[in-house]
């Protein structure tokens, strides 16, 4: 039996363990934790701010709720931040180990000309409270994953960190190889901790690829390539590949893995930026479907365009429906359908109760006739 609680104290002196009443570290190893269905928001309070790099900061929140925040390693939360008189909703991957369910950490990277990411990096103050729903997402480690390859670029490293910390906390002997692509040495998040994990986890390997290395950098240089993956993962049989990074990175890695004949079911991916989180560029669709969408609460009606989601139609009509992931994962955009039929391309963000009450996910919902929404 692995005495995870004891190991935590001995192995992880850098991580202050909060009082037992607030932090639930399992007394013995668990192979997995139960996923939490989307429900009412958690109230989280910021208790610690740690600078990681010049443009990324780890924020630790304690969970001020009777309900336990049961995440699986790799999942994300949808946060509602209130500042400067505005409410902003964003999704952030959890980077702390889900084995420590009394607190949760995220590491937002400051986005140039960003809004929430700038606030979180520069102005988030200890004591601040936020609402969060979730955890969401299918991008997670399962008990069956015994050999994993984590391919991360930029801030795509955060869900990978949650997975590795989880392996460490539960003393799991999963074979894990992390391939981390980042611009410069100074942009490497969690650098010190990866070195420590390398010493503690006997089945962990860690390779960094810098696209803009300094002259003294002794490691690999350039962009993600088949050579880099093959060199560091010589045996791909039986491995599950986790991909997280910006869209161009994801496309490149997918293409390479396909060339290497990795089966699609052994590839899991999480995209951020681009078509996922954040505002989408204005649509150039013009062809009308002949269907109309009526927003009952706003008293507005609009024509639906080809391929247009309900969320896009609402934005075009000036009807505000909050959204976050725009991938059908988080449930932020759920809205009650009062009349008509809607086809959804994903439904993970819809809990059974909401589904039974007639809610639809507007970000991935497309009308198949005239529809009426409670918005
Ligand atoms: S915005 Fe996340 S499910 Fe629609």
């Amino acid at each position: 039996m692995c005495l995870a609680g004891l190991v935590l104290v001995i192995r992880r002196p850098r991580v202050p363990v909060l009082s037992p009443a607030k932090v639930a570290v399992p007394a013995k190893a668990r192979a997995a934790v139960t996923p939490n269905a989307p429900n009412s928001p958690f109230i989280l309070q910021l208790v610690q701010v740690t600078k990681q790099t010049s443009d990324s900061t780890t924020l630790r929140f304690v969970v001020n709720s009777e309900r336990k925040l049961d995440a699986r390693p790799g999942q994300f939360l949808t946060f509602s931040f209130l500042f400067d008189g505005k409410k902003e909703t964003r999704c952030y991957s959890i980077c702390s180990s889900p084995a420590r369910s009394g607190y949760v950490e995220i590491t937002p990277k400051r986005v140039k000309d960003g809004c929430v990411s700038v606030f979180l990096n520069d102005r988030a103050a200890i004591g601040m409270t936020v609402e969060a729903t979730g955890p969401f997402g299918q991008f997670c480690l399962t008990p069956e994953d015994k050999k994993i390859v984590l391919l991360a670029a930029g801030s795509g490293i955060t869900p990978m960190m949650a997975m590795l910390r989880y392996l460490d906390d539960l003393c799991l002997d999963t074979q894990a190889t992390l391939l981390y692509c980042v611009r410069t040495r100074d942009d490497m998040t969690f650098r010190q901790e990866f070195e420590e994990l390398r010493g503690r986890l006997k089945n962990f390997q860690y390779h960094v690829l810098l696209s803009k290395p300094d002259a003294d950098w002794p490691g690999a240089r350039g962009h993600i390539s088949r050579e880099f993956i093959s060199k560091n993962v010589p045996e791909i049989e039986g491995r599950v590949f986790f991909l997280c990074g910006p869209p161009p990175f994801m496309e490149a890695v997918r293409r390479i893995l396909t060339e290497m004949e990795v089966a699609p079911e052994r590839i899991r991916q999480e995209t951020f930026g681009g078509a996922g989180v954040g505002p989408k560029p204005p649509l150039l669709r013009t062809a009308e479907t002949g269907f109309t969408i009526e927003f009952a609460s706003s008293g507005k009606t609009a024509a639906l365009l080809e391929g247009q989601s309900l969320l896009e139609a609402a934005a075009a009509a000036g009807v505000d429906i909050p959204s976050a992931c725009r991938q059908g994962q988080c449930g932020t955009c759920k809205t009650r359908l009062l009349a008509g039929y809607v086809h959804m391309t994903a439904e993970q963000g819809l809990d059974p109760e909401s589904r039974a009450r007639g809610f639809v996910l507007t970000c991935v919902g497309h009308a198949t006739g005239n529809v009426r929404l409670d918005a």
Side-chain angles (χ1 to χ4, degrees):
M1 183 178 74
C2 171
L3 298 175
L6 178 63
V7 171
L8 284 172
V9 174
I10 295 171
R11 282 185 164 183
R12 302 176 65 86
R14 286 189 331 109
V15 181
V17 177
L18 301 182
S19 72
K22 289 195 170 170
V23 180
V25 179
K28 59 182 180 182
R30 290 184 296 167
V33 286
T34 312
N36 196 28
N39 215 319
S40 55
F42 289 97
I43 305 298
L44 306 180
Q45 185 167 29
L46 183 62
V47 293
Q48 189 174 300
V49 176
T50 308
K51 203 86 194 143
Q52 290 288 349
T53 65
S54 62
D55 62 358
S56 65
T57 304
T58 294
L59 305 176
R60 175 181 292 188
F61 298 90
V62 289
V63 183
N64 283 343
S65 168
E66 287 293 299
R67 198 154 50 97
K68 212 166 128 215
L69 200 158
D70 256 350
R72 287 180 285 166
Q75 287 191 302
F76 66 89
L77 291 171
T78 300
F79 292 81
S80 294
F81 300 101
L82 267 176
F83 61 93
D84 298 342
K86 293 178 296 186
K87 180 175 175 179
E88 298 282 353
T89 304
R90 294 289 187 280
C91 300
Y92 284 106
S93 290
I94 298 168
C95 63
S96 50
S97 164
R100 306 187 177 212
S101 59
Y103 68 83
V104 68
E105 290 178 348
I106 58 172
T107 302
K109 180 178 163 71
R110 186 196 283 105
V111 177
K112 190 168 176 283
D113 301 325
C115 163
V116 174
S117 67
V118 171
F119 168 77
L120 293 177
N121 271 276
D122 298 348
R123 292 164 52 201
I126 301 287
M128 169 181 100
T129 57
V130 297
E131 281 186 4
T133 52
F136 301 113
Q138 305 305 313
F139 181 78
C140 33
L141 207 53
T142 71
E144 291 73 40
D145 301 329
K146 303 298 183 202
K147 294 181 183 177
I148 60 172
V149 180
L150 310 176
L151 281 140
S155 48
I157 195 67
T158 52
M160 312 307 196
M161 189 73 234
M163 295 181 194
L164 292 168
R165 285 171 165 167
Y166 183 78
L167 298 183
D168 187 32
D169 275 352
L170 298 193
C171 311
L172 300 180
D173 60 0
T174 308
Q175 286 183 29
T177 301
L178 171 64
L179 305 183
Y180 183 19
C181 304
V182 69
R183 235 163 20 111
T184 70
R185 220 191 280 234
D186 291 340
D187 293 323
M188 290 164 60
T189 316
F190 311 121
R191 188 173 166 188
Q192 175 69 26
E193 194 169 343
F194 285 135
E195 291 302 331
E196 292 168 9
L197 283 173
R198 182 147 48 188
R200 281 202 302 271
L201 289 173
K202 66 177 165 54
N203 290 330
F204 173 54
Q205 291 187 32
Y206 162 53
H207 305 280
V208 178
L209 178 65
L210 296 188
S211 60
K212 290 203 164 71
D214 53 89
D216 300 332
W217 172 246
R221 300 154 179 258
H223 294 280
I224 191 70
S225 64
R226 181 169 179 169
E227 291 66 36
F228 179 69
I229 296 176
S230 302
K231 181 174 173 218
N232 296 303
V233 191
E235 179 56 68
I236 61 168
E237 190 58 37
R239 294 188 184 264
V240 180
F241 291 78
F242 291 82
L243 285 48
C244 189
F249 170 81
M250 304 290 277
E251 282 159 30
V253 178
R254 267 237 164 231
R255 195 188 60 246
I256 294 167
L257 294 181
T258 304
E259 284 169 13
M260 292 170 72
E261 299 184 351
V262 175
E265 61 271 19
R266 287 200 286 116
I267 302 174
R268 290 179 213 155
Q269 64 182 73
E270 185 89 302
T271 307
F272 60 84
V277 178
K280 282 185 169 183
L283 292 167
L284 297 175
R285 295 172 184 143
T286 51
E288 294 196 1
T289 56
F291 306 143
T292 59
I293 180 165
E294 182 186 343
F295 302 98
S297 312
S298 314
K300 293 184 177 174
T301 300
L304 277 163
L305 305 181
E306 288 280 357
Q308 195 177 37
S309 71
L310 304 181
L311 184 67
E312 291 166 346
V319 175
D320 183 36
I321 296 179
S323 65
C325 72
R326 301 186 186 210
Q327 296 175 334
Q329 298 274 327
C330 70
T332 307
C333 67
K334 72 178 181 185
T335 305
R336 239 173 107 220
L337 179 68
L338 301 175
Y341 292 94
V342 166
H343 170 71
M344 289 182 282
T345 53
E347 296 193 27
Q348 291 95 330
L350 210 51
D351 56 289
E353 188 192 328
S354 298
R355 188 179 288 114
R357 290 174 56 210
F359 281 85
V360 292
L361 298 173
T362 55
C363 68
V364 289
H366 297 265
T368 56
N370 294 339
V371 290
R372 192 157 170 254
L373 286 183
D374 188 9

